Amino acid sequence: MRHLIDIQDLTVEEIGALLGLAGQIIARPADFRDAASRKKLATLFYEPSTRTRLSFEAAMLDLGGNVLGFASADNSSVSKGESVADTIRMVQCYADIIAMRHPKEGAPVVAARHAAVPVINAGDGGHNHPTQTLTDLTTIHREFGHLDNLTIGLCGDLKFGRTVHSLVIAMCRYPGTHFVLISPQELCPPDYVTERICNSPGCTFEQVRSMDDVMPELDVLYMTRVQKERFFNEADYLRLRDSFILDAPKMAAAKREMIVMHPLPRVNEISVRVDDDPRARYFQQALYGKYIRMALIMKLLNGFD
Ligand code: NCD
């Protein structure tokens, strides 16, 4: 039995197989409408979510399966003080697979240790978000046809943004990736992330404080929200929240074939005027999130080979 806690739980070959299966689902969705029939997915969301939870649920429904779960810790027994371990021991009696989001880093590891069914990390604190990364890889792969030799700008909250951490770790396995890390000093990525780039042969990075100079070199611009809920004081958040705003003049400096991605939700960091730019991919990216989660659920339920 397999879990997905960290994007590194998947080999490059397995990621390739997931992308291939997602491609088949996109091409012929009707062929998959019974792929998980009579199976149940439990979505245990201890933290707010719109896209991740709904795309998991839509994925399971489109595979002919069913969903159950909770969208907030407040209306589950967690509010009575139940531990993650106990909740999981109970939920595995009712569901065949579990997707869990939790504010504490490492909570999904605890869940997996107590689960007799596959557990998927749907985001743990400021740490990891492997299914968003699968969504991001699907978007990049469908756009460029490959994942290697790309220059990826990551902009915004690279410190607390878990999607950034998982995406960098994933892209470090594709040679020729050049990361352009665009953030204020206070929101630089954690050391373990930059150390990973240094230790990945063929991958390089630069850190910059402004978008302007680097726009023309990017193949992908991955914008992120400043993660308000992870700040210790509001003054810092207010000072940093509008550090970077992507607008039409900045887009004018980018390549014609560059794509703009964002895990969403967007707050202020992409002007709505950019939505009409043909290079904006963030809503398409959200759609791919459903297809790659369908592929992931199938592989975790049926095995990777
Ligand atoms: C992200 C998350 O939850 O980390 N959202 C998502 O899952 N699509 C990004 C964010 O909240 O900023």
Side-chain angles (χ1 to χ4, degrees):
M1 194 195 42
R2 298 277 299 270
H3 305 287
L4 177 60
I5 306 300
D6 186 302
I7 192 67
Q8 297 171 101
D9 294 343
L10 297 169
T11 65
V12 169
E13 291 71 29
E14 286 168 342
I15 289 174
L18 284 169
L19 295 175
L21 180 55
Q24 290 174 34
I25 297 170
I26 291 168
R28 292 183 312 281
D31 290 1
F32 297 88
R33 67 179 167 220
D34 295 319
S37 64
R38 310 197 65 79
K39 298 285 184 191
K40 280 172 281 176
L41 164 75
T43 52
L44 312 184
F45 277 63
Y46 296 78
E47 232 192 15
S49 170
T50 306
R51 263 150 303 274
T52 305
R53 187 172 60 82
L54 295 186
S55 65
F56 263 116
E57 296 190 358
M60 193 58 172
L61 294 174
D62 282 357
L63 292 171
N66 290 299
V67 292
L68 64 165
F70 54 82
S72 147
D74 298 342
N75 55 30
S76 73
S77 281
V78 178
S79 63
K80 301 179 186 170
E82 186 169 58
S83 68
V84 166
D86 283 4
T87 302
I88 292 293
R89 283 193 189 103
M90 180 271 301
V91 170
Q92 67 180 4
C93 304
Y94 309 142
D96 303 285
I97 184 164
I98 296 171
M100 177 179 149
R101 168 171 290 190
H102 201 284
K104 279 211 189 102
E105 306 193 351
V109 177
V110 175
R113 210 173 281 147
H114 293 92
V117 300
V119 173
I120 303 170
N121 176 7
D124 63 327
H127 189 215
N128 273 323
H129 195 345
T131 63
Q132 180 63 46
T133 299
L134 290 175
T135 301
D136 301 340
L137 296 179
T138 307
T139 309
I140 297 170
H141 190 258
R142 289 191 72 83
E143 196 63 36
F144 295 96
H146 59 91
L147 293 169
D148 54 354
N149 295 305
L150 293 169
T151 295
I152 304 196
L154 297 122
C155 179
D157 187 347
L158 312 186
K159 177 177 182 182
F160 297 117
R162 55 191 172 196
T163 68
V164 169
H165 307 157
S166 293
L167 180 58
V168 171
I169 300 288
M171 289 299 294
C172 276
R173 298 199 286 186
Y174 298 95
T177 305
H178 179 61
F179 298 95
V180 183
L181 306 173
I182 311 161
S183 75
Q185 173 69 40
E186 294 94 326
L187 297 180
C188 281
D191 289 345
Y192 83 89
V193 171
T194 42
E195 277 161 19
R196 174 57 61 91
I197 306 174
C198 294
N199 294 331
S200 302
C203 293
T204 48
F205 76 97
E206 61 189 291
Q207 284 185 292
V208 298
R209 302 274 168 260
S210 151
M211 299 173 83
D212 298 321
D213 297 344
V214 293
M215 285 300 282
E217 52 177 288
L218 305 179
D219 298 309
V220 175
L221 174 58
Y222 192 93
M223 295 297 295
T224 62
R225 167 180 78 89
V226 175
Q227 306 278 299
K228 180 178 185 194
E229 65 275 35
R230 317 245 181 256
F231 276 69
F232 295 112
N233 73 70
E234 184 155 12
D236 282 350
Y237 169 70
L238 293 175
R239 185 169 51 82
L240 293 168
R241 68 174 174 184
D242 291 331
S243 299
F244 299 101
I245 298 176
L246 181 64
D247 55 13
K250 287 199 176 68
M251 288 297 288
K255 289 183 193 169
R256 269 185 45 207
E257 58 279 12
M258 184 195 80
I259 60 167
V260 182
M261 296 171 58
H262 192 308
L264 302 176
R266 152 180 59 187
V267 184
N268 224 5
E269 57 280 353
I270 302 180
S271 153
V272 291
R273 285 192 53 210
V274 176
D275 298 357
D276 296 328
D277 189 302
R279 295 168 289 184
R281 285 293 183 286
Y282 25 95
F283 294 114
Q284 179 74 35
Q285 191 182 344
L287 175 63
Y288 287 144
K290 181 185 78 165
Y291 293 119
I292 196 71
R293 287 181 175 98
M294 289 171 78
L296 177 67
I297 291 168
M298 284 179 64
K299 292 283 188 191
L300 289 176
L301 287 175
N302 305 326
F304 267 85
D305 25 61

